[in-house]
Amino acid sequence: MTVNRLPKGLYDPGIPRGNCGVGFVACLDALPRHSVVEDGVKVLVNLEHRGAVGGDQATGDGAGLLLQIPDTFFRQEGAGLDFVLPPAGDYGVGSLFLPMNKANAERCRRAVHRIAGEEGTEVLGWRDVPVDYGHLGELSLRTRPQISQVFLSRAGIDASDFERKLYVIRRLIEKEVTGWGEDYTNYFYICSLSGRTILYKGMLTGTQLIIFFPDLVEKDFTSSFALVHQRYSTNTLPTWPLAQPFRFIAHNGEINTLRGNINRMRGREAFLSSGLFGDDIEKLKPILVEGGSDSAIFDNMLELLVMGGRTIPHAMMMMIPEAWGTKFHMSADKRAFYEYHASIMEPWDGPAAIAFTDGRFIGGTLDRNGLRPCRYTITRDGLVVLASETGVLDLPPERVARHGRLQPGKMLLVDLHQNRVVPDNETKAKISRAKPYRHWLRENSIELRGLFSPSVVPREESRLLRKKQHAFGYSEEELKMVISPMASRGQEPVGSMGNDQALAVLSTRPQLLFSYFKQLFAQVTNPAIDSIREEIIMSLVCYIGPEQNLLETTERHCQRLLV
């Protein structure tokens, strides 16, 4: 691919911009239109420079659209359905990647039929999605799956429980097929299974997407919103399943705390219970599919919180909280909300710009460091556009009512039921006052103070001090190069010396326990990790004590020790 490296105006193509492109287009009146799909594709194409391609110059890292189910399109004869669809809302659609091997694909289809029947739904039929492989790169073509859509009837399931039941069905299918071996797990993937939304994605570039999926060109293919993602893979290799969007989000950034988030969630699973799920909660475990990317695992967690009864803006506030320390001016209710939820679940931290939707709400949020760009435009005729950069749609100035950039920790939310953009402060004020969080914290939270600041530091005998230094692994080098400058000049505890020590696990000498552990960091942009110099956004606050059920909200949840 030839890149023009000559500056033009204020644009300098020599400045690298190596991160994913995310965004959405939505109509405030919530009426499905084909123009919204077209605009979503335009945004995707205009964000293509934020994605990446393989060595063959034609295999994209991934691109996709998350859309409203196009009910009118599926009812047309051209959609190729050989069955009658129930009314809108009484059926769900699954978008699946299946193995190219016919026998393997058929086995997967049989599993879908059986599990759906066991869970009280009925498979109405299948549709082979028309695709054009002509523009794919070598790697993308070699690893391509068969792409099909399955239609499930709501049958006797209550409308309010249908989305939750489809979630359970999807997890049961995924777990069964995973146990069949690599011939299946390498090719089988359920992109989406929902009564509200549908996914079109693949190991493509934005330009290839609309060629690959002719459905998107059809005039009857309509939606009131389009959430888009152009991938630049960093911590994982590009594959068909890891193309975004996922079922709820499109993410630009990294989750630097991922290992800890996964481990903590493993520990919580045994205590999960829900009146909404009942006995079905056991069918969902493990909640997190650890073979996915950090974004995919984030999406797994968000899905549980939303299906468990919280609204999607509430769940996003829990997972990506804004900075809420005492140096920030915010309402006592909002600070109490964040403090309460910090005792329930740790944040999923890292640079992040996330576009999200559950079919009713669609919005975007930025992490509290604000290390990813995110800009929005609202037109006078009710079109809302949010993307990694401005100018993704060619909108004449007279059509624009308002535009701006998302601030660190803030949220832009579109309510497609109320047909309006909900301001960040209104969204968070309403959620923060839904429960008496301030009262619960005042009555239950216990803060430990002063335990680590003795009034008098006793003098240590040299003989005992030397024993303790040996016991805790201090070396002569550390005492001279690190400890001494800290004590005498207040210098930072850093040293620049080569480390030729054997790894603890391979050493023949006694080792301290913590020597067997090394901290892992994402290989790309990291926020500052310094609770003193970056105290405005970083904190060493932690909670000690038994955790409660994540899917409930009670005053018992904050009966913990705050350190």
Side-chain angles (χ1 to χ4, degrees), residues 519-562:
Q519 185 158 1
L520 300 179
F521 289 91
Q523 298 175 17
V524 282
T525 316
N526 284 289
I529 301 176
D530 186 334
S531 60
I532 298 175
R533 288 164 182 79
E534 301 292 339
E535 63 177 327
I536 198 166
I537 50 171
M538 303 298 297
S539 171
L540 289 180
V541 166
C542 64
Y543 291 84
I544 299 173
E547 293 188 7
Q548 303 293 324
N549 175 24
L550 181 64
L551 299 181
E552 291 181 344
T553 305
T554 70
E555 61 180 319
R556 298 192 312 276
H557 283 65
C558 57
Q559 288 178 351
R560 307 187 72 194
L561 298 179
L562 172 63

Side-chain angles (χ1 to χ4, degrees), residues 32-34 70-74 76-78 215 217-223:
R33 297 175 173 84
H34 181 64
D71 181 70
T72 303
F73 171 74
F74 285 138
Q76 302 304 312
E77 290 182 8
D215 282 359
V217 183
E218 298 294 332
K219 295 300 180 184
D220 292 322
F221 195 104
T222 60
S223 176

Side-chain angles (χ1 to χ4, degrees), residues 186-215:
N186 288 345
Y187 293 96
F188 179 83
Y189 177 74
I190 303 177
C191 301
S192 61
L193 181 57
S194 170
R196 303 171 184 167
T197 59
I198 191 168
L199 262 167
Y200 281 75
K201 71 174 186 177
M203 201 166 159
L204 311 161
T205 65
T207 303
Q208 290 173 338
L209 186 79
I210 197 167
I211 302 171
F212 185 75
F213 290 113
D215 282 359

Side-chain angles (χ1 to χ4, degrees), residues 87 111 125 289 300:
V289 182
N300 296 155

Side-chain angles (χ1 to χ4, degrees), residues 251 253-257 320 348-353 367-369 371 525 527:
H251 173 216
E254 298 82 37
I255 306 300
N256 291 339
T257 56
I320 306 183
W348 290 58
D349 246 343
D367 70 283
R368 65 177 181 268
N369 290 277
L371 294 180
T525 316

